[in-house]
Amino acid sequence: MSGAGIPNYLDYPWRRRGLDHDRFLHRNLPQAKPVVWPGKARVALWVAVHVAHFPMDMPRQPFVAPGGVDRPYPSYWDYTQRDYGNRVGIYRLMRTLDARGLRATALLNSAVATRYPALTAEIAASQWEVAAAGVDMGRLHHGGLAEADERALVKEAVGTLRGAFKSKIRGWHSPAHSESMRTLDLVAEAGLDYVTDWINDDMPYPVTAASGGLTAMPLTWDLSDLHLLFQQHMDTGEFVEQVLRAFKTLYAEAAQTGSGRILTLTITPWLMGQPHRIRALGAMLDRILGHAGVWSATGAEIVDAWRASD
């Protein structure tokens, strides 16, 4: 039972077997309408780069974000390792992608735009897409936040990035894939049109929000360097092999089904931007781009192509 003023978790109109919400309709991918990418490409290559700020005094509740600071405050060891990504590693990534004509989507904490002005200018000049990724990795979205407080987080993140980059911000990634039950509504309210928090599909699909529709984009967690290198402790060669196996499967599926697929390469500057890994990243990209029918695109470009094909 719930006491006075305390919500009862059973008071939830969509609680039932199966999909217990009204955010999207169930879809089996083999029965989905075929998607045609520009140039009839088989695979859209989406490079998404986590450009994050991990505060030294990160809270431990409701949970610590993956890659978060593990040691008691002040942990200079943890902080400086993450800071390395925004001071050194990100520039290696940019050079590697630029050399191959690839434009990434920066999943950007708004704190980075204020704390690293030189990096902000570099990203703006690179013509990467910028997607809002919350304020920083210590300010997560969760059910314990009051609606006004969460709205303020979304507003701060989106407003700061729009001001810093003087460009339209269309995508949203909640830090650490964190969400409350109203995050999507607040993101749509802020004028964004695609989100990357859910990992239940290989392809985009429509999502319902109170103030307008959104598109869910497949930001792959299982293939991310944060998951494989940091959490699973794979070496760089194993990470590369996992990505190439996924590409081979998706490339073959696209030929078999006549429908385009997406390979999401989610990379982290303080991990993949290390000098002992960056050459492996370049070699892996060369192997992927060596196949006919690979279309490199930003998240927004893929969303637009998917909507046009749907």
Side-chain angles (χ1 to χ4, degrees), residues 14-252:
W14 294 98
R15 190 171 303 284
R16 62 182 186 272
R17 294 179 182 273
L19 292 176
D20 63 347
H21 58 77
D22 60 344
R23 291 294 188 181
F24 62 86
L25 298 175
H26 179 78
R27 179 193 72 185
N28 292 320
L29 187 58
Q31 281 75 51
K33 180 181 177 181
V35 174
V36 180
W37 297 137
K40 297 183 179 179
R42 288 198 202 179
V43 174
L45 172 62
W46 181 28
V47 181
V49 181
H50 287 296
V51 188
H53 172 63
F54 289 86
M56 195 180 296
D57 57 347
M58 286 185 67
R60 307 199 68 81
Q61 299 297 329
F63 65 92
V64 177
V69 175
D70 295 323
R71 302 182 184 192
Y73 176 85
S75 177
Y76 294 103
W77 188 90
D78 282 317
Y79 178 85
T80 55
Q81 183 185 30
R82 279 68 172 168
D83 185 49
Y84 177 94
N86 295 334
R87 297 175 62 249
V88 182
I90 184 69
Y91 296 102
R92 287 200 183 102
L93 292 179
M94 295 177 83
R95 288 195 297 270
T96 298
L97 297 177
D98 286 349
R100 291 156 180 82
L102 302 177
R103 294 169 55 235
T105 297
L107 306 173
L108 198 72
N109 286 163
S110 63
V112 173
T114 57
R115 288 174 171 267
Y116 300 88
L119 176 55
T120 299
E122 194 78 19
I123 292 174
S126 72
Q127 298 186 4
W128 282 18
E129 178 196 12
V130 173
V135 175
D136 63 41
M137 299 307 293
R139 300 176 70 182
L140 306 182
H141 296 250
H142 55 88
L145 276 178
E147 181 173 347
D149 292 337
E150 186 173 13
R151 178 177 283 106
L153 284 180
V154 174
K155 185 177 180 179
E156 178 182 350
V158 175
T160 299
L161 294 177
R162 283 175 175 160
F165 290 95
K166 311 299 182 187
S167 62
K168 186 175 183 180
I169 306 295
R170 294 180 53 186
W172 173 268
H173 176 68
S174 296
H177 295 261
S178 61
E179 278 194 6
S180 76
M181 294 185 68
R182 57 177 169 262
T183 303
L184 297 180
D185 299 324
L186 298 175
V187 168
E189 179 184 288
L192 281 65
D193 68 353
Y194 81 85
V195 294
T196 67
D197 293 343
W198 294 0
I199 52 176
N200 58 342
D201 213 308
D202 280 347
M203 294 294 287
Y205 59 87
V207 175
T208 301
S211 55
L214 297 166
T215 298
M217 279 286 286
L219 188 71
T220 309
W221 170 247
D222 278 2
L223 282 182
S224 68
D225 60 357
L226 189 59
H227 178 60
L228 295 178
L229 296 177
F230 184 75
Q231 291 190 325
Q232 298 295 323
H233 305 293
M234 288 187 178
D235 64 33
T236 307
E238 291 174 316
F239 168 76
V240 168
E241 183 61 28
Q242 293 288 333
V243 174
L244 291 176
R245 286 177 182 175
F247 171 73
K248 183 177 180 180
T249 297
L250 295 168
Y251 194 75

Side-chain angles (χ1 to χ4, degrees), residues 268-292:
T268 308
W270 56 272
L271 290 171
M272 194 52 65
Q274 297 284 347
H276 62 284
R277 292 188 177 118
I278 196 67
R279 290 191 178 186
L281 174 64
M284 178 181 71
L285 290 170
D286 289 339
R287 290 181 64 179
I288 292 171
L289 295 171
H291 289 74

